[in-house]
Amino acid sequence: MLRKLILAALAGLVAVCAARAQSYPTRPITMVVPFAAGGPTDTVARILGERMGRSLGQTIVIENTTGAAGSIAVGRVARAAPDGYMLSIGHWSTHVINGAIYPLNYDLLKDLDPVALLPANPQLIVTKKDVPATNLKELVAWVQANQDKISGGTAGAGSASHVGGVYFQNFTKTKFTFVPYRGSGPAMLDLVAGTIDIMCDQSTNSLPQVRANAVKAFAVTAPKRLASAPDIPTVDEAGLPGFYISVWHGLWVPHGTPREIVAKLTAAAQDALADPAVQKRLGELGQEIPPREMQTPEGLGAFQKAEIEKWWPIIKAAGIKAE
Ligand code: MLT
């Protein structure tokens, strides 16, 4: 008798969950951006969120939860209800690097389920406008000669801009002071104002300021030039061969979110990435869209695992720590 009652209750629960998944979404969805508004992750989230919301028939509300290089925001989603109403957008540093340097109270792989791999952009080595150097070799010489006076902006210990900055120091055998911000959006404002000197910053954040002639760009951290900024040389061409950083983005939900809901979110992300207007906006910012088969839970899950295996030993060996 008891067994029959339990089975009936379970069947009822399954039916309720299936009905919920089928009618999903019935209210606005929150996409948690792990850095400050106006920065590169926020920009990608707003472009994709708006288009995904149109496919899903519901608004996607962007919420910026900042601090500790995005690890607070990701933890917020990892602990949220697995009902598809709270999404984690993040990237290479928030969903890979942070696991190597922060004592996270969640597991990046076990507490979040992948939805889709999203576009990637390289960094630009950029400085405030009145730095006298006219090319990367001169910039390195200027940094070497002035390192005790130079400050570099980052989005916090372990953020992409911080890892890029540490790489720059290692490649050029320099040391300068890092100034942490709640995102590279506010750091860029200070670079434009000239209160900090240098940043290794995602092209999405830097290119609008480079085009406005408000900062100077010296190289792109990729083996090929950006189609939307062909005048900026690659690090190989400019004198730091092999200094490659690609900041790829992804979308996750709390672990245990019903498969039907994940499938709807994946389809909405794929719709967004196939939209020519979205492609144009992302392309102008230096973002490259991954192949469609990677815009899937399996594509993102396998890639994230491979990146963890590749980067954790490198980050630990480089001595990058949460400060
Ligand atoms: C941001 O959105 O501020 C950036 O993604 C931060 C970073 O450099 O990692």
Side-chain angles (χ1 to χ4, degrees), residues 33 35-36 39-42 91 93 123 154-155 159-162 182-186 200-202 247 249:
V33 170
F35 295 102
T41 319
D42 184 68
H91 58 53
S93 82
Q123 293 183 328
T154 78
S159 62
S161 39
H162 182 233
R182 291 193 167 256
S184 56
C200 290
D201 184 32
Q202 292 173 60
V247 184
H249 295 78

Side-chain angles (χ1 to χ4, degrees), residues 68-121:
S71 56
I72 295 170
V74 179
R76 190 178 155 210
V77 182
R79 286 185 296 273
D83 58 8
Y85 288 97
M86 192 174 279
L87 319 179
S88 171
I89 188 164
H91 58 53
W92 169 67
S93 82
T94 52
H95 288 73
V96 172
I97 306 298
N98 281 353
I101 70 165
Y102 284 94
L104 302 177
N105 57 7
Y106 53 90
D107 187 300
L108 282 167
L109 294 175
K110 292 191 189 133
D111 294 332
L112 292 156
D113 291 344
V115 174
L117 184 67
L118 303 178
N121 67 158

Side-chain angles (χ1 to χ4, degrees), residues 6-312:
I6 292 172
L7 285 177
L10 279 177
L13 195 65
V14 168
V16 169
C17 289
R20 270 203 198 135
Q22 231 164 36
S23 58
Y24 170 87
T26 56
R27 57 186 165 89
I29 299 165
T30 300
M31 187 183 279
V32 181
V33 170
F35 295 102
T41 319
D42 184 68
T43 301
V44 170
R46 284 175 200 273
I47 293 172
L48 294 179
E50 192 277 327
R51 181 62 184 79
M52 284 178 65
R54 272 194 270 147
S55 288
L56 292 162
Q58 283 290 343
T59 307
I60 295 193
V61 180
I62 303 295
E63 272 188 28
N64 301 82
T65 299
T66 63
S71 56
I72 295 170
V74 179
R76 190 178 155 210
V77 182
R79 286 185 296 273
D83 58 8
Y85 288 97
M86 192 174 279
L87 319 179
S88 171
I89 188 164
H91 58 53
W92 169 67
S93 82
T94 52
H95 288 73
V96 172
I97 306 298
N98 281 353
I101 70 165
Y102 284 94
L104 302 177
N105 57 7
Y106 53 90
D107 187 300
L108 282 167
L109 294 175
K110 292 191 189 133
D111 294 332
L112 292 156
D113 291 344
V115 174
L117 184 67
L118 303 178
N121 67 158
Q123 293 183 328
L124 299 183
I125 301 173
V126 282
T127 69
K128 65 181 181 184
K129 224 185 136 197
D130 64 6
V131 164
T134 60
N135 57 49
L136 188 61
K137 283 190 178 141
E138 287 178 20
L139 174 66
V140 170
W142 180 78
V143 174
Q144 280 163 345
N146 295 283
Q147 34 187 323
D148 51 335
K149 300 186 207 99
I150 289 176
S151 55
T154 78
S159 62
S161 39
H162 182 233
V163 176
V166 171
Y167 254 53
F168 181 85
Q169 293 187 333
N170 291 350
F171 266 70
T172 58
K173 312 236 175 318
T174 54
K175 279 268 173 253
F176 49 80
T177 309
F178 286 119
V179 183
Y181 293 80
R182 291 193 167 256
S184 56
M188 178 51 74
L189 294 180
D190 273 2
L191 193 71
V192 170
T195 50
I196 56 170
D197 303 292
I198 189 165
M199 276 175 75
C200 290
D201 184 32
Q202 292 173 60
S203 64
T204 294
N205 202 38
S206 294
L207 275 179
Q209 301 302 340
V210 174
R211 289 185 183 123
N213 208 20
V215 297
K216 271 177 154 176
F218 290 86
V220 55
T221 63
K224 64 176 192 326
R225 292 187 182 205
L226 287 172
S228 62
D231 294 344
I232 305 172
T234 68
V235 278
D236 298 337
E237 294 166 328
L240 288 181
F243 177 5
Y244 304 145
I245 290 186
S246 168
V247 184
W248 53 266
H249 295 78
L251 190 66
W252 291 261
V253 285
H255 176 62
T257 301
R259 264 185 308 166
E260 298 83 346
I261 290 180
V262 174
K264 285 188 183 178
L265 290 166
T266 301
Q270 290 178 338
D271 282 356
L273 295 174
D275 183 324
V278 169
Q279 292 179 347
K280 183 167 178 285
R281 287 181 74 192
L282 292 173
E284 279 161 3
L285 297 169
Q287 294 281 351
E288 197 168 331
I289 295 175
R292 197 171 167 96
E293 68 274 12
M294 294 295 286
Q295 303 164 14
T296 57
E298 298 73 29
L300 174 57
F303 188 58
Q304 185 188 9
K305 272 192 203 127
E307 286 281 278
I308 286 177
E309 276 161 32
K310 172 180 167 184
W311 282 99
W312 280 16

